[in-house]
Amino acid sequence: MADKIMWSSPSGQSLEFGVFDYYGQWNTVGGIYMFCRREQTGAYIPIYIGQAQSLKDRLSQHEQWSLAARKGASAVLAAVVPSQADRDLFERQLVQQ
């Protein structure tokens, strides 16, 4: 993991995302993830946003990865968020942005 991206929600909360390769090793932790393409400016643009109780279980064979990759996704931004209520909130706020 080379990069870390800070995201601030409209409610003022911050979340640190690591930048990962989809085919890397995932941990059995709850979290938020985004399949992203990278612009020439270096910015990551989300193509798909989701959450999981276990990133390892969810991302090992995600049904949306191949479609996101065809749309240019080359990285997964992921953040550990143990609480289901927090994951619901962050996912909703990310989708609305």
Side-chain angles (χ1 to χ4, degrees):
M1 177 176 65
D3 295 330
K4 291 188 179 188
I5 307 295
M6 289 302 294
W7 173 77
S8 295
S9 73
S11 64
Q13 295 177 301
S14 293
L15 193 59
E16 183 178 76
F17 284 86
V19 180
F20 300 90
D21 179 77
Y22 175 77
Y23 298 101
Q25 300 243 343
W26 295 100
N27 293 323
T28 307
V29 294
I32 297 286
Y33 59 90
M34 298 184 282
F35 298 156
C36 298
R37 74 172 187 268
R38 191 159 193 191
E39 298 288 291
Q40 290 182 350
T41 62
Y44 288 96
I45 307 300
I47 295 171
Y48 181 87
I49 298 169
Q51 65 163 296
Q53 183 174 354
S54 166
L55 292 173
K56 182 178 181 177
D57 292 345
R58 185 69 179 116
L59 296 177
S60 64
Q61 293 185 12
H62 199 288
E63 71 279 358
Q64 293 296 323
W65 174 251
S66 60
L67 176 60
R70 286 195 301 273
K71 292 182 177 184
S74 60
V76 179
L77 274 60
V80 174
V81 182
S83 161
Q84 179 67 56
D86 289 342
R87 288 194 303 270
D88 290 341
L89 174 66
F90 281 123
E91 180 184 33
R92 190 169 42 256
Q93 291 178 344
L94 281 165
V95 168
Q96 291 173 354
Q97 281 191 330

